[in-house]
Amino acid sequence: MTPPGDPSWDEVDRAAAISVAVQAVTLFARPDQPYEQWWSDLAPLMSVQAQMDYQYVDPTNVPVRAVTGEGVLIDDASASVAGVQVPTDVGPYTVLLSRTGEASPWLVERISPPESVG
């Protein structure tokens, strides 16, 4: 049995992870947005570490322009970490998410482009 407060997996958790990943890539994929708007929309979905890692990204350098389908959970080995693949106009992006507890939101750790773009 999972101790109270520790994350567990159910369909609601899976759907939430996919939803956050798709939302993050959708917000990331807006190179035409002014930096201030782009960052203020994206940052709340990110962990503290990801905010430090992505705060200097120039959105005009982001190659993706659109999410083109539904996200798919590709890694659910841990109830605290999830990998979601999100289809885009330049290929599938992979989003790594984490959460600290059952009541904690999923937060983006990394948004990785397809190998052909990286």
Side-chain angles (χ1 to χ4, degrees):
M1 179 156 198
T2 303
D6 283 351
S8 61
W9 274 117
D10 62 24
E11 289 311 306
V12 172
D13 297 315
R14 287 176 172 84
I18 292 167
S19 176
V20 170
V22 169
Q23 183 181 9
V25 175
T26 299
L27 293 171
F28 186 73
R30 299 178 308 150
D32 55 337
Q33 288 290 309
Y35 172 82
E36 295 77 17
Q37 183 66 51
W38 179 84
W39 184 240
S40 70
D41 292 343
L42 185 59
L45 298 178
M46 300 185 129
S47 69
V48 171
Q49 181 62 52
Q51 288 178 14
M52 290 189 302
D53 293 344
Y54 286 85
Q55 67 183 330
Y56 299 110
V57 170
D58 180 349
T60 63
N61 293 328
V62 173
V64 62
R65 301 283 189 271
V67 170
T68 60
E70 299 294 321
V72 176
L73 191 65
I74 58 171
D75 183 0
D76 64 355
S78 164
S80 297
V81 178
V84 177
Q85 194 169 70
V86 179
T88 75
D89 59 334
V90 296
Y93 268 67
T94 302
V95 181
L96 179 65
L97 303 130
S98 69
R99 62 183 177 168
T100 56
E102 189 169 16
S104 300
W106 287 105
L107 295 174
V108 173
E109 294 292 341
R110 175 117 353 247
I111 300 172
S112 301
E115 287 183 23
S116 60
V117 174

